[in-house]
Amino acid sequence: MSDATGPNQENGEGLVAHLIDHFKKEWQLYVMLLPTIAWLVVFLYKPMYGLQIAFKDYSIFRGISGSPWVGFEHFETLFQSEQFIRALKNTVIISFYTLIFGFPVPIFLALMFNEVLNRWFKKTSQTIVYLPHFISSVIIAGIVMTAFSPSAGIINTFLGWFGVEPIYFLTKPEWFRPIFIGTGIWQEAGFQSIVYLAAIAGVSPTLYESAVVDGASRWQMMWKITLPSILPTIIIMLIIRIGNILEVSFEMIILLYQPATYETADVVNTFIYRQGIQGGQYDLAAAAGLFNAVVAFVLVISANTISKRFSRTSLW
């Protein structure tokens, strides 16, 4: 028996010694990694202890451990609630339209920036489209409300030139989704294009040189070389976006929506905010948040599996 376990023990001791030597050589890198690990533990893993609130009749006076278990009662309440079903429906619709109309925009921007030859114009235009990302959501919401104001907004002023009566856009449920989605594209598309510009920068110049020799035009090089070369990056970003399909911009909706537009503007995150923070139903809000996370997890796994099977590109 000792002969059988001896080599394994020696291998284990050798591995430990190797890890210790490696840590001694690279200890500076691990020290730099400590803040990130601490952040993950404190803000991502430690709060998971509170997920059990979703299965308890939670009371702030009894605490998490003292509150009685109720099983899936809160989830049953959620799916019997018309407000939650409406919020879930709105979340899916807004996310779907954002994915359809918003996801291709950064790709097109990156392709267009790559084709610009004048360096001054290229840098200036990139700065202009990147800028909205760095502006506070409160300011962006203020700009939107001012632009769509029925009295002095630029949109209604323009429509007035053609004899159209002022429209109270932000109080009309049918207008909320187009305004919200358009605002999100304007705010984030430029910054998101940086990922695709980085992918384009990694394309081998020899491919373009060969295409020039063969007489290819700029348009043909873009469709036959650039776009296929960054396709793996596009797929990875699409998988990430699918995983976040239930994560609609909470701050912007809170700033723009109002009771008159709840019909089309209320989403899962705002439902959680109203029930948990304003209504004090922390257990019900936790159940909604857990449902949101489980759906996102399933979507990421499914999208990654499908991508790996058909394109051989995946997150893992």
Side-chain angles (χ1 to χ4, degrees), residues 150-210:
S151 57
I154 187 173
I155 305 299
N156 276 301
T157 300
F158 178 77
L159 293 176
W161 294 344
F162 298 93
V164 180
E165 293 295 324
I167 302 173
Y168 292 76
F169 288 100
L170 293 177
T171 61
K172 302 286 185 181
E174 65 272 17
W175 280 105
F176 182 86
R177 289 172 185 163
I179 293 173
F180 174 79
I181 294 170
T183 302
I185 294 173
W186 169 63
Q187 185 178 11
E188 298 295 338
F191 190 77
Q192 291 171 357
S193 68
I194 295 175
V195 176
Y196 303 106
L197 283 170
I200 292 173
V203 180
S204 175
T206 57
L207 296 175
Y208 296 105
E209 293 170 0
S210 300

Side-chain angles (χ1 to χ4, degrees), residues 26-74:
E26 307 292 347
W27 67 269
Q28 297 94 337
L29 296 177
Y30 290 101
V31 170
M32 294 174 62
L33 190 62
L34 282 178
T36 301
I37 296 176
W39 182 86
L40 287 172
V41 171
V42 173
F43 293 102
L44 293 182
Y45 288 97
K46 186 177 180 296
M48 288 184 182
Y49 173 77
L51 289 177
Q52 57 185 300
I53 294 175
F55 304 95
K56 290 190 171 188
D57 184 13
Y58 178 70
S59 169
I60 59 175
F61 302 104
R62 296 178 180 177
I64 296 177
S65 58
S67 300
W69 288 90
V70 295
F72 290 93
E73 180 180 321
H74 298 309

Side-chain angles (χ1 to χ4, degrees), residues 5 52 65 69 77 91 115-116 136 145 156 162 164 171 196-197 218 235 239 248 272 275 294 310:
T5 57
Q52 57 185 300
S65 58
W69 288 90
T77 303
T91 303
E115 298 300 319
V116 176
S136 169
M145 287 188 286
N156 276 301
F162 298 93
V164 180
T171 61
Y196 303 106
L197 283 170
R218 299 286 298 182
I235 293 174
I239 293 173
V248 180
I272 294 172
Q275 296 297 323
V294 170
F310 293 100

Side-chain angles (χ1 to χ4, degrees), residues 2 26 61 82 95 105 128 163 187 266 278 300 302:
S2 60
E26 307 292 347
F61 302 104
E82 293 183 1
S95 296
V105 175
I128 292 173
Q187 185 178 11
D266 192 27
Q278 295 182 329
V300 168
S302 302

